[in-house]
Amino acid sequence: MELEQIIQGCQKKDIQAQEHLYRRYAGKMFAVCLKYVPNRDEAQDYFQEGFLLVFDKIAQYEFKGSFDGWMHRVFVNYLLQQFRKKNYLNVVDENIPDEVEVEIDEGIPPEFLFRIVQELPERYRLVFNLYVFEEYSHQEIADALGITVGTSKSNLSRAKLILKQKIELHTGSSKMPKLQ
């Protein structure tokens, strides 16, 4: 079945089309959830709710632009909505440390990098993922999370500092290539 047919079927609430869409995107969307939530059980809950939201909103998709991008955005917006409901995004400190540069040696396993990003405190991981992977500006992050631009910058710098320290421990080196 072609993607356009699957989407049209989902817009008509066709169960088989929904199953095709789910199977086609389950891995990608679960990976998105895991990027933001380190606990697999919690990520699974967000993943299931995200797909229900996609099925609910799919009638809004107008076949303009990438469906992958549209679906990714629905998931990320849903995750942001869940994080806004939590209180840990409140301002802690706006003293912005100097910009931290993190360099990644090509020999570092991707699994290790994924794990150390997952180990970041939630507010740091969220800002890091939005800035590095989703390419949000600090203003967009601030607007999405209800925090100040200074808090976004501070959280990103602290996330990078933690990652830098963990990478240095792993490699035994302080010389690493720059990570945004």
Side-chain angles (χ1 to χ4, degrees):
M1 220 186 219
E2 292 294 319
L3 180 58
E4 188 172 326
Q5 292 173 310
I6 293 170
I7 295 168
Q8 289 171 342
C10 289
Q11 290 175 333
K12 296 174 185 173
K13 309 271 189 227
D14 179 291
I15 304 255
Q16 287 182 332
Q18 290 174 338
E19 184 178 338
H20 281 290
L21 188 74
Y22 180 87
R23 288 184 182 189
R24 186 173 191 152
Y25 288 99
K28 286 181 184 179
M29 294 304 108
F30 189 62
V32 169
C33 294
L34 281 175
K35 240 185 348 186
Y36 291 93
V37 184
N39 176 313
R40 288 186 76 80
D41 291 336
E42 189 176 357
Q44 182 68 37
D45 290 343
Y46 288 139
F47 167 73
Q48 290 174 358
E49 292 297 323
F51 253 105
L52 291 175
L53 187 60
V54 165
F55 292 143
D56 188 49
K57 292 183 172 277
I58 201 163
Q60 297 173 10
Y61 180 69
E62 298 174 343
F63 298 92
K64 294 178 184 171
S66 157
F67 179 76
D68 290 39
W70 179 86
M71 187 175 201
H72 181 92
R73 178 64 64 193
V74 169
F75 266 81
V76 169
N77 286 340
Y78 170 71
L79 290 163
L80 290 175
Q81 180 183 28
Q82 300 312 303
F83 284 111
R84 276 193 297 267
K85 291 178 184 178
K86 296 182 179 181
N87 291 328
Y88 66 77
L89 292 175
N90 293 336
V91 175
V92 176
D93 183 359
E94 285 196 21
N95 293 329
I96 303 168
D98 294 335
E99 183 66 24
V100 176
E101 290 187 13
V102 179
E103 297 186 0
I104 307 298
D105 182 336
E106 290 181 20
I108 297 176
E111 301 80 23
F112 171 75
L113 294 174
F114 181 76
R115 191 183 84 236
I116 64 173
V117 169
Q118 289 301 97
E119 291 172 353
L120 288 170
E122 285 189 351
R123 66 178 172 268
Y124 298 164
R125 183 181 61 252
L126 183 59
V127 171
F128 180 84
N129 284 334
L130 289 172
Y131 188 83
V132 173
F133 298 118
E134 307 299 334
E135 299 179 351
Y136 277 40
S137 69
H138 285 293
Q139 185 62 57
E140 290 171 320
I141 293 169
D143 293 343
L145 300 179
I147 60 176
T148 66
V149 169
T151 299
S152 176
K153 289 179 180 180
S154 176
N155 286 346
L156 178 64
S157 290
R158 289 189 175 129
K160 287 180 176 182
L161 181 61
I162 292 168
L163 293 174
K164 180 178 180 180
Q165 291 167 344
K166 289 185 179 203
I167 290 169
E168 287 174 357
L169 280 172
H170 179 75
T171 63
S173 168
S174 62
K175 292 185 179 180
M176 297 174 286
K178 185 179 178 187
L179 173 69
Q180 291 183 326

